[in-house]
Amino acid sequence: MSALDLEKLRMSGAGKAIAVLTSGGDAQGMNAAVRAVTRMGIYVGANVFHIYEGYEGLVEGGDCIKQASWLSVSNIIQLGGTIIGSARCKAFTTHEGRLSAAFNLVQHGITNLCVIGGDGSLTGANIFRKEWGGLLEELVKEEKITEDVAAKYSHLNIVGLVGSIDNDFCGTDMTIGTDSALHRIMEVIDAITTTAQSHQRTFVLEVMGRHCGYLALVSALASGADWLFIPESPPEEGWEDIMCSRLGEGRSRGSRLNIIIIAEGAIDQNGEPITSNYVKELVVQRLGFDTRVTVLGHVQRGGTPSAFDRVLSSKMGMEAVIALMEANADTPACVVSLSGNQSVRLPLMECVQVTKDVQKAMKEKKFEEAIQLRGRSFENNWNIYKLLAHQKPSEEKSNFNIAILNVGAPAAGMNAAVRSAVRIGISEGHNIYTVNDGFEGLSKGQINEVSWHDVAGWLGRGGSMLGTKRTIPKTCMKNIVENIRKYNIHALLVIGGFEAYEGVLQLVEAREHYEELCIIMCVIPATISNNVPGTDFSIGSDTAVNAAMESCDRIKQSASGTKRRVFIVETMGGYCGYLATVAGIAVGADAAYIYEDTFNIHDLKSNVEHLTEKMKTDIQRGLVLRNEKCHEYYTTDFLYNLYSAEGKDIFDCRTNVLGHLQQGGAPTPFDRNYGTKLGVKAMVWISEKLRESYRRGRVFANSPDTACVIGLKKKVVAFTSVCELKKVTDFEHRMPKEQWWLNLRLMLKMLANYQIRLTEYVSGKIEHVTRRTLSIEKGF
């Protein structure tokens, strides 16, 4: 869409009315979506209404439909559940109920409806839309509305947002609430792991997922569970013997715990349920292990939403309003969904049809087809879990030696990448070495061969188990070369931040002087700053954003007890403003200052004036984020003094430097999963390159494509040569010259009520959902 069209769109809401409702089971992030729809609707000039208690409120009308204001959605982004309520509604499934709902909408002039819910709620909305014309005709016949009113409101536009913790809606990478539910599950698993190790126990964890095993699958992958039951892939006949044998093997090797994860809808090959109690009794009877069952239940729906869900919901909410403003009588109902890091619009009924196809395949016991219909990401998760859960003897020994090291500052998720790379390498028949303390350790010969079981229990550990330093190769090149020769290293897997990328680039450029460096090299980006070129996301950045967000939530909470206070919070990130920007969106910050989005004293003055106006409302608190290197002169202390001086007698000011707490803590489910997958894919790529480069009894690799950065770029995992990336790197400021997330700045400013132009907004494209599109590799 052109900039001119977007500016027209900004004014197109005048006279229109938008209603938003939440329906079905609640999901964390729904409030963030309600907030975004409300504020974007008001921003484009529309009247926005909240429908309370879902479709029940739509049928009841009256006080259940209320006009919303900008302030009515303040301070809700961090709340779980849904502030406008959700209820199952039988009345709406009847013709009379939908007739009543149509009358209530027309009474308020509403012809644009945003529905946040699962596939049942969205299917109901589509039926309502199709019947709309007929319903208005009935209302005219019953003399409840005039023909002029029926003509004025002749068509209903529907846009859906999928709110479901199960991630069971086909067509979108993630549904609202899924990431937060995984956070709850991993918190429980981490807590249970410590007590299980203390008492040498086996725990059977039952997670939600009556028809979809996504939560069970990803939590098993992210925790290294010993066994997994999901409805899409029933275990083979005789699984009881295999499972007990494997659990017994683990204990005989010295493991002090076993974790078994079971989806509530798990079944066997005959379609009979597999219950958590049955699994427990089996382990007790066969092995005599002290075994406990934990059913997580509605804990998974509760709590504050994760940063991912807050940003996802905000993006989807904004896009939903744009889609409604563009819709006309011929526009089919659509769902706003996530594809890679982009919002897309999908025809609602195409998604619903494929979702139904999954259930049909499972009823007919076509389980392989069901897994494929869930999408390539689900299938990849399942295959990777099976690869990593249990050691299988390699078909043949390769005699390739691969060294793995961490470089730069520690980042949560590094250990997950090391673990999966080690295990895949061993499965491929390679000799795997780990290096302590990065390139410095490589130069000093701190190199040890590692086995499959040496990396057990690493998934949930923060920081770097190998140890990591910022040393780069040019300071110790000769010693590195000497040890590569001494240990006959054929490939290097370097997991780390900008120093890892820069270090491998230095090794590649030194190939002309040292033949020993003509080996395969791969960089897995792992840094909280998310500043490595060649990828949209680095391992550790999600954990860091969540850490910053949780701190800011507490700061906002403390401010709520004190009227008229502004907090200025400094985040890490070097010159890269990713952390400040994404955390700012997740906490509803009033401003976020970063190096990439230049600002001057006039902008600062405008921000102070904006906060001064805000203090005159009922929301008498402010939050401003500042990236640590956003400006040479406008430091955190400067901003504190400026805001204190200009806000004198209106608000007072406080500062908070988050510092290294952003690097610490257990990795989030996203970082565990992402690190695991990158480790697998990197090792598979290294193995292929080693075989290609093996000539006359030795490995010789000197082409640019033998030293790459692996990363997620838009929708796909890609390997990009470090030599190619050199052209797009700002080495002075240690980051890529172009960064995709800068377009999120528009959302941050708009949702904070700054009047800005929509010229840079990138609206979602229409895509279609078919079996073919579901089979395309879409990253994670």
Side-chain angles (χ1 to χ4, degrees):
M1 188 185 297
S2 72
L4 187 63
D5 289 338
L6 278 165
E7 279 305 305
K8 284 181 183 175
L9 182 67
R10 184 181 170 186
M11 306 309 297
S12 67
K16 293 183 180 179
I18 298 172
V20 57
L21 64 86
T22 53
S23 176
D26 65 304
Q28 307 98 316
M30 280 184 166
N31 285 326
V34 169
R35 171 179 178 267
V37 170
T38 303
R39 291 194 166 179
M40 190 65 178
I42 293 170
Y43 189 80
V44 297
N47 294 317
V48 181
F49 293 85
H50 289 170
I51 298 172
Y52 289 81
E53 311 307 332
Y55 285 121
E56 196 173 285
L58 197 58
V59 173
E60 291 290 324
D63 288 341
C64 290
I65 303 176
K66 295 179 183 176
Q67 187 163 355
S69 67
W70 192 276
L71 295 181
S72 63
V73 290
S74 289
N75 208 32
I76 68 168
I77 196 169
Q78 75 276 15
L79 302 178
T82 163
I83 63 159
I84 59 175
S86 180
R88 315 273 180 189
C89 180
K90 286 187 178 178
F92 191 73
T93 62
T94 66
H95 182 77
E96 293 75 18
R98 292 193 291 276
L99 187 67
S100 177
F103 177 70
N104 290 328
L105 287 183
V106 169
Q107 288 286 90
H108 292 86
I110 299 167
T111 55
N112 298 284
L113 188 60
C114 177
V115 178
I116 306 167
D119 61 333
S121 303
L122 300 182
T123 303
N126 192 58
I127 293 168
F128 187 41
R129 176 187 163 278
K130 284 182 176 177
E131 292 179 353
W132 182 259
L135 293 172
L136 294 195
E137 285 178 14
E138 279 188 57
L139 291 171
V140 170
K141 284 178 185 176
E142 294 176 10
E143 297 185 350
K144 289 186 176 179
I145 62 172
T146 65
E147 288 189 3
D148 288 344
V149 169
K152 185 177 180 181
Y153 304 120
S154 58
H155 67 272
L156 178 69
N157 300 319
I158 296 281
V159 171
L161 304 182
V162 190
S164 165
I165 68 167
D166 291 334
N167 202 30
D168 56 354
F169 194 79
C170 292
T172 182
D173 291 357
M174 287 286 269
T175 56
I176 294 168
T178 304
D179 188 68
S180 301
L182 286 169
H183 274 251
R184 298 296 92 76
I185 295 169
M186 294 316 302
E187 285 164 10
V188 171
I189 291 176
D190 286 349
I192 278 176
T193 297
T194 57
T195 185
Q197 282 178 327
S198 301
H199 297 277
Q200 297 194 61
R201 281 187 179 140
T202 295
F203 270 90
V204 181
L205 269 82
E206 183 181 306
V207 303
M208 281 184 165
R210 194 169 300 143
H211 304 296
C212 178
Y214 185 86
L215 287 178
L217 174 53
V218 175
S219 54
L221 192 60
S223 64
D226 298 281
W227 197 270
L228 168 67
F229 296 94
I230 58 173
E232 291 87 349
S233 183
E236 60 192 74
E237 293 291 342
W239 62 267
E240 293 95 339
D241 296 333
I242 300 168
M243 183 187 78
C244 290
S245 170
R246 199 169 291 177
L247 296 179
E249 282 175 27
R251 286 295 176 94
S252 65
R253 287 191 305 265
S255 173
R256 292 180 61 85
L257 80 156
N258 301 111
I259 299 287
I260 299 167
I261 294 179
I262 179 167
E264 62 179 328
I267 53 174
D268 63 18
Q269 290 281 349
N270 301 313
E272 295 300 314
I274 298 174
T275 66
S276 48
N277 282 322
Y278 174 73
V279 174
K280 174 201 167 181
E281 292 304 321
L282 186 68
V283 175
V284 171
Q285 289 171 13
R286 298 272 187 99
L287 298 169
F289 292 169
D290 184 2
T291 307
R292 306 295 167 92
V293 171
T294 299
V295 179
L296 269 62
H298 283 73
V299 165
Q300 295 154 90
R301 286 195 191 280
T304 186
S306 66
F308 185 97
D309 273 327
R310 298 187 198 189
V311 176
L312 172 70
S313 302
S314 299
K315 280 174 79 171
M316 285 183 168
M318 283 184 67
E319 184 62 33
V321 172
I322 298 290
L324 285 170
M325 292 299 97
E326 290 178 1
N328 56 45
D330 300 320
T331 307
C334 76
V335 176
V336 178
S337 79
L338 179 71
S339 181
N341 58 25
Q342 299 170 313
S343 296
V344 295
R345 302 177 198 173
L346 307 172
L348 169 60
M349 294 319 293
E350 286 183 13
C351 299
V352 169
Q353 184 56 53
V354 179
T355 304
K356 287 179 178 176
D357 288 345
V358 176
Q359 301 307 321
K360 182 171 178 282
M362 288 173 65
K363 280 180 184 175
E364 295 173 357
K365 299 182 182 176
K366 297 177 180 175
F367 297 114
E368 285 188 16
E369 183 182 345
I371 285 177
Q372 289 165 2
L373 286 169
R374 284 274 181 235
R376 190 64 179 272
S377 179
F378 188 97
E379 190 177 357
N380 280 347
N381 282 335
W382 179 231
N383 291 333
I384 288 171
Y385 172 76
K386 289 187 291 185
L387 273 175
L388 298 175
H390 179 65
Q391 184 175 7
K392 300 139 192 95
S394 56
E395 292 180 10
E396 57 181 49
K397 197 74 175 150
S398 74
N399 291 321
F400 289 131
N401 300 324
I402 302 173
I404 302 173
L405 58 155
N406 294 161
V407 174
M414 275 182 164
N415 297 322
V418 173
R419 171 187 175 270
S420 63
V422 165
R423 292 194 164 183
I424 294 298
I426 290 170
S427 298
E428 296 266 344
H430 309 320
N431 301 312
I432 306 297
Y433 294 89
T434 53
V435 182
N436 299 116
D437 298 336
F439 287 121
E440 187 175 310
L442 186 57
S443 73
K444 292 178 178 178
Q446 296 170 207
I447 302 169
N448 303 290
E449 190 165 2
V450 66
S451 72
W452 180 280
H453 305 292
D454 289 336
V455 291
W458 282 29
L459 265 167
R461 304 287 289 273
S464 167
M465 298 290 286
L466 294 181
T468 179
K469 290 195 174 179
R470 295 180 181 272
T471 308
I472 51 178
K474 68 179 181 183
T475 61
C476 50
M477 187 69 76
K478 286 186 179 179
N479 290 337
I480 287 175
V481 170
E482 187 180 319
N483 281 313
I484 287 175
R485 185 194 306 118
K486 179 180 174 182
Y487 288 89
N488 195 23
I489 302 297
H490 301 108
L492 283 179
L493 177 58
V494 186
I495 302 166
F498 196 86
E499 293 91 349
Y501 155 68
E502 194 174 14
V504 168
L505 184 58
Q506 288 175 9
L507 294 177
V508 169
E509 290 174 343
R511 279 174 169 175
E512 57 183 304
H513 303 294
Y514 302 102
E515 196 174 303
E516 292 85 353
L517 297 177
C518 294
I519 58 176
I520 309 301
M521 299 181 225
C522 183
V523 178
I524 296 180
T527 168
I528 69 166
S529 303
N530 199 30
N531 63 333
V532 179
T535 186
D536 292 346
F537 296 102
S538 295
I539 297 167
S541 59
D542 184 68
T543 305
V545 167
N546 276 277
M549 177 197 78
E550 288 163 11
S551 297
C552 290
D553 281 350
R554 290 186 176 95
I555 288 166
K556 281 175 68 179
Q557 192 177 45
S558 77
S560 66
T562 310
K563 297 294 183 186
R564 297 176 182 165
R565 176 165 287 175
V566 174
F567 276 91
I568 297 170
V569 179
E570 182 184 303
T571 68
M572 294 176 84
Y575 285 99
C576 181
Y578 176 83
L579 260 180
T581 296
V582 179
I585 294 168
V587 297
D590 296 284
Y593 300 119
I594 65 168
Y595 173 80
E596 297 92 336
D597 192 357
T598 55
F599 59 96
N600 56 35
I601 195 67
H602 300 294
D603 298 313
L604 296 177
K605 182 173 180 286
S606 172
N607 294 153
V608 173
E609 289 169 352
H610 179 81
L611 278 167
T612 303
E613 287 301 309
K614 183 179 177 181
M615 293 301 162
K616 295 175 184 176
T617 70
D618 294 335
I619 311 300
Q620 297 180 347
R621 68 183 171 279
L623 183 67
V624 174
L625 300 188
R626 178 191 175 275
N627 171 246
E628 60 183 345
K629 291 188 178 180
C630 66
H631 201 284
E632 185 179 359
Y633 302 112
Y634 299 147
T635 63
T636 302
D637 286 341
F638 177 93
L639 293 182
Y640 167 74
N641 291 328
L642 175 70
Y643 274 75
S644 296
E646 295 297 318
K648 193 175 181 182
D649 301 326
I650 302 167
F651 58 81
D652 67 352
C653 202
R654 296 286 187 276
T655 60
N656 196 301
V657 178
L658 298 181
H660 283 74
L661 71 83
Q662 295 155 93
Q663 282 185 348
T668 58
F670 180 93
D671 278 330
R672 296 183 200 202
N673 195 13
Y674 188 39
T676 297
K677 289 182 173 178
L678 287 189
V680 170
K681 288 186 176 286
M683 190 54 75
V684 169
W685 178 84
I686 287 171
S687 299
E688 290 172 359
K689 290 294 178 183
L690 283 170
R691 287 190 282 270
E692 287 173 14
S693 307
Y694 189 68
R695 299 281 188 279
R696 298 174 185 172
R698 57 170 291 195
V699 170
F700 185 80
N702 66 348
S703 59
D705 68 342
T706 57
C708 289
V709 172
I710 178 177
L712 185 63
K713 297 170 79 172
K714 292 188 177 176
K715 300 181 187 180
V716 297
V717 175
F719 290 86
T720 314
S721 160
V722 291
C723 300
E724 188 182 321
L725 290 173
K726 187 177 179 181
K727 304 168 198 167
V728 295
T729 303
D730 176 354
F731 285 95
E732 182 187 352
H733 299 104
R734 296 161 52 81
M735 60 186 182
K737 290 178 181 175
E738 291 186 10
Q739 303 188 88
W740 70 271
W741 52 264
L742 283 171
N743 61 36
L744 297 177
R745 302 277 302 168
L746 184 83
M747 178 165 66
L748 171 72
K749 293 173 183 176
M750 196 286 298
L751 293 177
N753 204 14
Y754 287 90
Q755 293 304 305
I756 54 173
R757 294 173 63 82
L758 278 170
T759 50
E760 294 173 16
Y761 184 83
V762 181
S763 58
K765 295 177 181 177
I766 296 286
E767 293 189 2
H768 291 277
V769 183
T770 63
R771 294 193 177 206
R772 189 190 69 78
T773 62
L774 288 170
S775 68
I776 296 170
E777 172 69 81
K778 280 194 180 180
F780 313 133

